[in-house]
Structures are given as C-alpha cells and as structure tokens.
Amino acid sequence: MTPTKYLFVMVLTVMIFNACSTDPSDTGLVDCNGNQVETLVTEIELDQSRINLKKGDVLLLSVTTDIGDDSVTWVSDSPEIAQVDNQGEVTALKSGSAIITAKTCNAETTATLSIDPDIYITGSEIMTTESFSGSLATYWKNGKKVTLSNLEQSSNAHSIFKEEGTLYVAGQQRFGLSSQAKYWTQDSETSLTSGEGYAIARSIFVDGGDVYVTGTEKFSSGNTIAKYWINGQEFPLTDGSNRAFVSSIYVANGDVYVAGTEQNGATPNRYVAKYWKNNQEFILTDGTDDAGVRDIVVIGNDVYVAGTEGSVVKYWKNGEAVSLSDGFESAAAHSIHIDGDDIYVAGYEYGNGSFQEAAVYWKNDEKFVLTNGVYRSYIADITVHNGNVYAVGAVQDSSSEPELPVYWKDGERNTLPVVSGGRGNADSIFLD
C-alpha cells in the first residue's frame, strides 16, 4: 500500500469512529435561553394557589420545579389590578381579581389572586357619658372607627359615597328639637338647611364632582316635605299638602332619580310608593295598602326600586312589581343591588315564631336568613363585589346586650367597634 492510500484509510477510520461515538452530555435538550441542558423542567408548583390581599399589600411568591431550576417567568393577566415582578413579588393595586402565572418553556402554574376592596360603612354610635347622651355620626373604614361630629350635639349618618379619593357622608346634626340636613367629607362639612326646622339627609350620590343629596324637612306647622339638593341648591319634590318621605337618590346619564313615599290625602290616608325622575312623579302602588320604597338603582334603561306594600317585600322593575315575601310574616325591604342578571333585595322579616326581626336578603327569589329572629336584627344596605355579598345593619344578641353595628361578608358576621357600653347601627356601605 502506498503512503497516500494509507493516510486516506486512517482519516476515514477516524471520521467513522467519531460519527458513531456518543457524548454523554449531548442530550439535544435546550432551555428557554437556548442553552443545552441535561434535563428540562416538566413540573412547576407555586407555594400558594389562592391568595387574598388588600389594596397596597405586597406578597413574595415562591416556586419549586422538579429539577430545581428557578429560571421562571412571571406574568399577571391584569397588571392594572396586581403587578408581579421577575422575582415573583406581587403588589395589589386595586380591588378585583387577577391570575398570576409562573412559567418555564415547558411548564407553567397559576395562582388566583383576589384583592379585597376597602370597606366604608356609615351609621351612628350611641352612648351615654357624664357630659353627653346621644348619637354620633360615624363611619368605619375596614373596621376602624372615625367620628364625624363632636360631643356637643347629637348627629346621625345614613349614607356614604366615595369618588376620586373623597369620601362623602350624609346625615343630620341635631339642635334640641330641630336639626340640619348636612353632609361631611374627610375635612369639611356642608349644611343643607338652616336648622330652623327638623331636617335630615338620607342618601348621597356623587357624579363628576357634583354632590346630590336627598332628604326631608319639616317645620313646626306643616307636613314633611321631600326634596333633594344638587351642590347645595334645593329642589322640592312635594308641596307639603301631604306627608312625604324620601330615602334614596341615584344619578344616571345626568338624570336624577329619587325614591320615597307620600300620603295620598284620601280616606284612609294611605302612603303610596313612588319615585321621581327629574322631578317627574312615577306612582308604583294604588293606595290599597300603605307602601313605600327605600332604595333605587338604574342600570342602563332599567329602573329598579325596592320597598314594601302592606307587609310584602317587593321590588319594581320599570314599574312592574315582583313580590319576594308572602305577607304571612311582616317584612320590609331597605336596599336593592343589581349584579349582572342577579337582583339582591335586603331588609328584615319576622320569623321563628318570635316578634323580632331577622336580617334577611333575597337573591332573585331565594331567601337567605342571616340571624335567628329571636332578638332584633336587620339589613340596611347590601352590595356585591367579585361575587362576594356584603350587607350592613344591626344585631342584638340577647335582651341584656345592646344593639350593635355589623356587616356580613357572604353571611359571616363582623361586629364594628363602638365605645365601651355603647350601641349603634350601620346604615350604608361603599366598596372601593
């Protein structure tokens, strides 16, 4: 064999050997960054799968994988509600829900995040001290009490609303036998009446910075007059020829809706349920039984009103009545809330063979009883957020205990703080 041929055979043999040999580290697997690896992540797990936070909370999530690789990408499907950084630190920005995903090239896992809203509740705290006996207009933010008035005169709060960072509370300031209708913000108070008569603000709504309040005023001679105010300007709804009361105001597309009741002046002189739209009256009942409405909401072109006719709890949708109770037990509706296709109405109903109210609400035609009816309790307001049902009112647990302000979340009761030995009630709730 010539030297040239021998060299060719040697080169060919080396090439064949190299082609047939196997490098143990050559797996053909490539990670997310294009690097060759021996094993890919096929399983990934978060330390929490369902998380509840409040606005402003920060939580660091941790992740484990089947090969210990921590090269994980983090994503929030709703970054306006909750943000997550590249280390898995979650920041709750506002109330709502979000899905946090931790993923590698070949595996991913998720955690469902629910951010609870700030809970604002208003009502009254009632106390007796050496220097004061009466009620104080109060609100609670996430259970922490804030008193709106001083101990010089009694006051009451009935409605709460928040817009653009400003909190509004409507109620009254008493002066002996007279009182002013007024509303408070965090740093101011506005009187709507002079204080010469007996006036009260029952409901407040704020739209684009304009403040809408509804209530009543009565002077020593004459009947109670229903009215509302826009930025302090008064708009009477009744002329005083018959007694009238209003309890709710709602603004939609620039239209002002007010719900209430007025005597019809007939014999017998019955209260008739009605509402007003831009001062135009819409009568809901015929005067056969006393009736009144306590709350009104407008969704699109539909007007929903909740109230009572006789002893039957009802709501009206565009004037058409739907009965929720049978009338065998006395009952009353105080609030209505619409959540998608579901209609919530809340109030009280006598039951359990006792002569006291039980706190109840209806979801469509299904009734939910929150207390046993042995001692007095009721719901004053109800709302729904992210599928959670919030209601506020008052509960007395026994004949030897005072009536206390409470709220329920999905039926679970939370008692709001009052001064030691005091009592109180919760009338309105706003979630932010």
Side-chain angles (χ1 to χ4, degrees), residues 212-276:
Y212 301 79
V213 182
T214 192
T216 55
E217 187 171 24
K218 182 184 184 305
F219 296 95
S220 56
S221 60
N223 289 313
T224 303
I225 299 173
K227 56 184 65 178
Y228 67 94
W229 297 263
I230 304 177
N231 299 327
Q233 183 180 354
E234 178 184 298
F235 296 87
L237 292 168
T238 60
D239 59 10
S241 57
N242 295 298
R243 294 182 71 190
F245 300 92
V246 286
S247 52
S248 180
I249 191 166
Y250 198 96
V251 180
N253 300 319
D255 296 317
V256 182
Y257 299 80
V258 178
T261 185
E262 185 179 17
Q263 288 183 320
N264 58 10
T267 305
N269 197 7
R270 299 291 192 189
Y271 282 100
V272 176
K274 59 178 63 178
Y275 71 90
W276 293 263

Side-chain angles (χ1 to χ4, degrees), residues 13-294:
T13 302
V14 172
M15 292 177 61
I16 293 172
F17 177 82
N18 287 340
C20 295
S21 67
T22 302
D23 184 348
S25 65
D26 185 6
T27 62
L29 300 178
V30 179
D31 68 9
C32 303
N33 299 316
N35 301 317
Q36 181 175 291
V37 294
E38 294 185 13
T39 318
L40 286 176
V41 173
T42 58
E43 295 181 11
I44 183 171
E45 184 177 349
L46 283 169
D47 60 336
Q48 301 181 62
S49 61
R50 300 190 69 84
I51 308 164
N52 259 88
L53 298 177
K54 289 189 175 296
K55 285 195 306 180
D57 285 352
V58 177
L59 176 69
L60 181 63
L61 293 174
S62 62
V63 65
T64 56
T65 68
D66 54 347
I67 64 169
D69 183 5
D70 60 357
S71 300
V72 174
T73 300
W74 297 86
V75 179
S76 169
D77 74 333
S78 301
E80 74 282 3
I81 294 174
Q83 293 180 347
V84 60
D85 66 13
N86 56 13
Q87 302 300 316
E89 186 174 87
V90 177
T91 302
L93 300 178
K94 67 178 185 179
S95 63
S97 58
I99 303 295
I100 304 299
T101 301
K103 61 183 179 179
T104 66
C105 292
N106 298 296
E108 67 176 49
T109 187
T110 61
T112 301
L113 176 64
S114 178
I115 302 174
D116 292 334
D118 285 330
I119 303 173
Y120 295 89
I121 297 170
T122 197
S124 300
E125 181 182 29
I126 304 167
M127 67 179 73
T128 299
T129 67
E130 292 182 359
S131 59
F132 177 80
S133 180
S135 60
L136 293 176
T138 303
Y139 76 87
W140 295 264
K141 178 183 177 182
N142 299 327
K144 183 178 181 180
K145 182 180 69 175
V146 178
T147 303
L148 291 167
S149 58
N150 55 41
L151 296 178
E152 295 178 1
Q153 300 287 344
S154 284
S155 57
N156 299 88
H158 298 291
S159 179
I160 194 164
F161 201 96
K162 188 180 182 187
E163 185 188 67
E164 297 297 328
T166 301
L167 192 68
Y168 301 83
V169 177
Q172 69 176 158
Q173 184 81 54
R174 296 184 182 180
F175 307 98
L177 297 177
S178 63
S179 67
Q180 281 182 326
K182 69 188 318 176
Y183 68 88
W184 295 263
T185 66
Q186 294 103 314
D187 52 11
S188 68
E189 55 184 74
T190 301
S191 297
L192 299 169
T193 58
S194 65
E196 296 176 5
Y198 187 85
I200 185 168
R202 285 286 183 185
S203 178
I204 191 165
F205 195 102
V206 184
D207 183 41
D210 293 322
V211 181
Y212 301 79
V213 182
T214 192
T216 55
E217 187 171 24
K218 182 184 184 305
F219 296 95
S220 56
S221 60
N223 289 313
T224 303
I225 299 173
K227 56 184 65 178
Y228 67 94
W229 297 263
I230 304 177
N231 299 327
Q233 183 180 354
E234 178 184 298
F235 296 87
L237 292 168
T238 60
D239 59 10
S241 57
N242 295 298
R243 294 182 71 190
F245 300 92
V246 286
S247 52
S248 180
I249 191 166
Y250 198 96
V251 180
N253 300 319
D255 296 317
V256 182
Y257 299 80
V258 178
T261 185
E262 185 179 17
Q263 288 183 320
N264 58 10
T267 305
N269 197 7
R270 299 291 192 189
Y271 282 100
V272 176
K274 59 178 63 178
Y275 71 90
W276 293 263
K277 176 184 177 182
N278 301 328
N279 289 60
Q280 181 182 354
E281 177 183 83
F282 294 84
I283 297 175
L284 299 171
T285 58
D286 61 9
T288 302
D289 290 306
D290 282 322
V293 289
R294 292 286 298 272

Side-chain angles (χ1 to χ4, degrees), residues 289-327:
D289 290 306
D290 282 322
V293 289
R294 292 286 298 272
D295 200 12
I296 187 167
V297 297
V298 181
I299 307 296
N301 295 319
D302 296 320
V303 180
Y304 297 85
V305 184
T308 310
E309 185 173 15
S311 59
V312 179
V313 168
K314 297 183 175 184
Y315 72 86
W316 290 260
K317 178 181 178 180
N318 300 326
E320 184 176 346
V322 176
S323 296
L324 295 174
S325 66
D326 55 21

